[in-house]
Structures are given as structure tokens and as C-alpha cells.
Amino acid sequence: MPLISLEQARVQVRVEADYPSEQLQPYIDGAAAWAEAYLNRAVFESEQELTAAREGYAEAVANAVAKRRDAEEAAAGIEDPDERAAALRLAEVVYREERALAERCIHGIVVNDGIRTGMRLLVGHLFSNRETVVVGAQVAEVPVGAASFLRPYRRVMMP
């Protein structure tokens, strides 16, 4: 089950049940992705999904290590030192990205009313503001917007 249903999105943006799902689904997906990125953690529909993701942590890290090792071995066969260095940098980037995804699951959270509300506000924002610019209108951020609902659950990562 998705974190926000199509019906919840339709209610949020005040459209009829026959409004095309293919026009709303990208906003639902975008809101979920934005919320997870803002929270710095994965969001799960149930405790069972969170538990399963956490149980897969060791395997995910082992896969990341194996990918890095394979890339390093492939880089060793590259004669040009600049190309070899680039391949090694890429191997490290891939490893860090895979590791970060695994970490997001370890610090995952089960969706709650605050997170769902923030995500619904994001769906409404994306639906109402379909372009990157607004011409001829004054715009102001709503004081209690999506970030206000998501902030209490945010895992702030320091460098």
C-alpha cells in the first residue's frame, strides 16, 4: 500500500474520482521522495516493512562492498593513470551511495499522521504549482507547511 493513496491525493487537491490517476501519481511519488530526502530516512507503511528493511542491512552493505571491490579490480586493469583514478573514484561513489541507502533503512520510520499530512501538503503544492515560475502574483510560504509537519521526524545528518 502506498504512503499516500490516490484517493487521499484526490481529496487533497479537490478533484473528482474520475480525475486521471496518471496526472496525480507523479505528484504522489514526488511528495514521497521529497519527504524521505528531507527526513534523511526511509518511510515505511508498516512496522513489518521497516523490520524487513532493517534485516536486509547486512546484505545491502555486503553488496556495496562487493560492488566496490569489483570496480577496484576492474580499475586495476586500466593502464591510463587518470582513467584508473576516475574509475576508483566512481567505485567509491557507488559504495557510498549504496551504503547511504542502507543507512536510510536502518534509521527508517513507519509513516504516521504528521508525515502523511506533510506529504499531502506537498501533493497539493505540486498540483497547484505545476510550473517553476509564477508570473504576476505575490507568493508567500504558508507558516505551517509541509516542512513543519515533517521536521519533528527529521534525522539531521551532520558532516
Side-chain angles (χ1 to χ4, degrees), residues 56-89:
Y57 176 77
E59 182 179 345
V61 171
N63 287 338
V65 170
K67 283 182 181 181
R68 180 173 62 182
R69 184 188 59 246
D70 292 346
E72 288 171 346
E73 289 173 3
I78 298 173
E79 290 184 27
D80 182 274
D82 291 334
E83 289 180 20
R84 184 173 46 255
L88 289 171
R89 283 193 307 273

Side-chain angles (χ1 to χ4, degrees), residues 91-148:
E92 189 61 27
V93 167
V94 168
Y95 167 76
R96 287 182 186 190
E97 287 175 352
E98 294 281 329
R99 184 82 189 237
L101 287 173
E103 289 290 326
R104 289 180 88 153
C105 290
I106 285 293
H107 299 286
I109 188 170
V110 175
V111 70
N112 58 42
D113 290 340
I115 293 171
R116 274 204 177 95
T117 299
M119 291 172 68
R120 284 195 310 265
L121 287 171
L122 288 167
V123 168
H125 170 75
L126 293 169
F127 181 82
S128 297
N129 302 287
R130 298 176 195 170
E131 305 297 330
T132 57
V133 296
V134 177
V135 178
Q138 289 185 337
V139 180
E141 186 176 349
V142 178
V144 181
S148 297

Side-chain angles (χ1 to χ4, degrees), residues 11 19-20 29 32 44-45 62-64 66 76 80-81 104 112 156-157:
V11 169
Y19 190 85
D29 297 341
F44 297 94
E45 180 61 35
N63 287 338
D80 182 274
R104 289 180 88 153
N112 58 42
V156 180
M157 296 168 40

